[in-house]
Amino acid sequence: MDKIVINGGVSLKGRVRVSGAKNSALPILASTILGGGECMISNVPRVVDVVTMGKLLGILGAKVTQEASRVVIKADVINSTQAPYELVKTMRASILVLGPLLARWGQATVSLPGGCAIGSRPVNMHLAGLTKLGAEVWVEHGYIHARAKRLTGAAIYCDVPTVTGTENLMMAASLAQGTTVIENAAKEPEIVDLADFLTKRGARIIGAGTDMITIEGVRELRGSDHEVIPDRIEAGTYLVAGAITRGSISVDRCRPDHLEPVIAKLRETGADIRVEKESVHLNAGASGRPDGVDIRTMPFPGFPTDMQAQMAALMAVARGTSIITETVFESRFMHVEELRRMGADIRVEGNRLMITGCERLTGAPVMASDLRASAGLILAGLAAEGTTEVLRVYHLDRGYEDIEDKLRGLGAVIDRRAA
């Protein structure tokens, strides 16, 4: 098992290029099994979750070829409609094959995602929506079972906007008979990207990116090429890296319109930010310590929950007191104890973090609990005095492509070693 070792205190400078969005690539890859023909997906990040999705599609019978950032998939024939626990336990996004398998092949058996507590990161909205589309759905022995001769369009209302739920239902409805309307749909850019790809394949979808998506089902989908959008969370992570080290960096090949809430908050901290068509330039060197800001995570277009841990690290060295309110996931503060080990003054009050910034963090061995907590701890290590070791970085490899190499290219003293 690897660890990331950081010698902090270096102001980052230079340019970094953003990879494709993991959270866009995964549903797009899953959706390839909705139809035959060749699908060539480019700008796919080389991360563990993408490899896992490729393995899962291969087990189902699709022909999958991955070269660098391009994945070619042919799903003319599927040999199995079961997604086994051995793969699903490592990646919650595996549930995204449920809708496509059911819609095209009339049945699906998908293991409940690993560590899934149905109340906290619920799959119940996926199941309720598929039932509305006419499927018979039940859970037995840790597996979701679904079957339907052909799905039928329906009006579906989501109790809360759910990204994977919206994606699963949108994919299933693409092959349903009649028209489906998803109300209170999630509006994330990744959903728009999936809809764009499905439309290229012959699906009829309008309203993606709004809270009402209308899908007119078609009989079949064809192959198509598609380029995945840039990863807005990776881009935001590098912007915070520049801010927390009081550096001057340019984040290239990104979508600034997807980063507006992050850019707005970083400007509040005192960072000078200039936006171009596909780049964001941040200079925090002249502003001294960042100013503390209050943040409330929200579904898109609000401040993303996936940037909460990174901003907590930044607020740990900011002037004054900051409040971060987490409204999306109730158990996303496991990075707090590790930041405290580095000298951060943070207390948890319900779903809020109360952070009193300090002049400087100090390096320490810390343990990553999840993907975004890993990124937050690395950012803290970049700003800390001395050496920080981030353990359990396999979480990091699920969602960031070559993060240590990219940070090293900005001047960071960072390395990956065997733990």
Side-chain angles (χ1 to χ4, degrees):
M1 192 176 297
D2 292 345
K3 62 182 178 182
I4 298 291
V5 180
I6 308 152
N7 291 320
V10 177
S11 292
L12 301 189
K13 293 180 174 61
R15 311 187 78 96
V16 61
R17 179 171 173 165
V18 175
S19 300
K22 171 189 80 91
N23 288 339
S24 190
L26 294 175
I28 285 172
L29 293 174
S31 76
T32 60
I33 60 176
L34 277 167
E38 183 177 276
C39 295
M40 186 174 72
I41 315 301
S42 59
N43 200 34
V44 177
R46 298 188 303 275
V47 296
V48 170
D49 277 6
V50 166
V51 174
T52 300
M53 181 61 78
K55 289 179 180 178
L56 176 55
L57 296 178
I59 285 175
L60 297 177
K63 295 180 180 179
V64 182
T65 304
Q66 183 166 8
E67 296 177 0
S69 62
R70 185 179 68 178
V71 180
V72 178
I73 300 174
K74 290 190 70 174
D76 295 325
V77 177
I78 292 294
N79 302 322
S80 171
T81 57
Q82 178 167 326
Y85 173 70
E86 288 70 25
L87 282 178
V88 176
K89 70 178 179 180
T90 67
M91 183 181 67
R92 294 190 53 84
S94 300
I95 198 174
L96 288 166
V97 301
L98 177 63
L101 284 174
L102 176 64
R104 186 177 175 203
W105 302 100
Q107 61 183 9
T109 302
V110 179
S111 172
L112 284 167
C116 176
I118 286 182
S120 60
R121 293 183 72 175
V123 299
N124 57 324
M125 282 182 279
H126 301 240
L127 311 189
L130 293 175
T131 301
K132 282 268 193 178
L133 292 173
E136 181 185 359
V137 182
W138 69 101
V139 178
E140 186 176 56
H141 304 305
Y143 279 83
I144 302 166
H145 301 263
R147 63 187 177 200
K149 190 171 183 180
R150 188 182 179 192
L151 298 175
T152 305
I156 301 172
Y157 179 83
C158 299
D159 291 338
V160 296
T162 161
V163 176
T164 55
T166 299
E167 291 166 342
N168 232 337
L169 296 175
M170 187 168 66
M171 289 187 286
S174 295
L175 294 182
Q177 183 175 6
T179 300
T180 298
V181 178
I182 304 173
E183 293 189 71
N184 200 27
K187 298 180 282 190
E188 273 70 5
E190 294 80 12
I191 289 171
V192 178
D193 202 26
L194 172 62
D196 288 345
F197 174 57
L198 293 174
T199 300
K200 290 177 183 178
R201 302 189 69 192
R204 298 172 182 171
I205 302 171
I206 60 172
T210 75
D211 59 6
M212 181 179 292
I213 302 175
T214 302
I215 307 106
E216 183 183 344
V218 298
R219 264 291 176 188
E220 62 181 11
L221 298 181
R222 57 182 176 269
S224 183
D225 298 347
H226 186 74
E227 181 176 334
V228 174
I229 60 173
D231 195 315
R232 60 194 172 100
I233 304 304
E234 184 192 15
T237 299
Y238 292 128
L239 288 173
V240 176
I244 201 170
T245 63
R246 305 172 201 178
S248 177
I249 69 168
S250 296
V251 179
D252 297 330
R253 199 63 199 281
C254 66
R255 285 281 302 269
D257 56 320
H258 294 168
L259 292 163
E260 288 176 356
V262 175
I263 290 171
K265 285 300 174 182
L266 288 174
R267 279 178 170 150
E268 282 187 43
T269 70
D272 177 45
I273 297 180
R274 178 168 51 88
V275 174
E276 296 182 357
K277 184 178 179 181
E278 292 188 345
S279 297
V280 179
H281 311 276
L282 177 143
N283 189 341
S287 61
R289 285 175 64 194
D291 294 326
V293 298
D294 294 340
I295 294 167
R296 184 180 183 86
T297 66
M298 297 285 286
F300 190 85
F303 192 92
T305 180
D306 280 355
M307 285 298 302
Q308 180 252 108
Q310 298 91 312
M311 289 299 290
L314 179 61
M315 292 302 95
V317 295
R319 286 187 288 254
T321 298
S322 308
I323 301 173
I324 298 180
T325 305
E326 175 59 59
T327 73
V328 180
F329 296 125
E330 68 272 23
S331 301
R332 204 163 199 183
F333 291 150
M334 287 188 284
H335 51 284
V336 169
E337 287 298 326
E338 303 305 300
L339 288 173
R340 283 176 178 155
R341 288 173 53 80
M342 301 178 71
D345 183 354
I346 309 177
R347 38 181 225 282
V348 179
E349 295 185 358
N351 68 330
R352 299 192 306 171
L353 296 182
M354 310 294 291
I355 307 173
T356 301
C358 60
E359 180 68 33
R360 186 175 294 278
L361 299 173
T362 55
V366 291
M367 189 84 68
S369 57
D370 59 67
L371 171 58
R372 305 307 173 185
S374 303
L377 294 174
I378 285 176
L379 296 181
L382 292 173
E385 185 177 76
T387 300
T388 298
E389 295 185 354
V390 182
L391 305 175
R392 288 173 53 176
V393 294
Y394 58 84
H395 292 294
L396 193 73
D397 297 334
R398 290 184 44 241
Y400 287 92
E401 181 180 34
D402 300 330
I403 186 170
E404 65 268 29
D405 291 338
K406 291 183 178 183
L407 289 171
R408 198 179 299 115
L410 295 171
V413 183
I414 182 171
D415 196 16
R416 179 182 292 254
R417 303 176 190 171

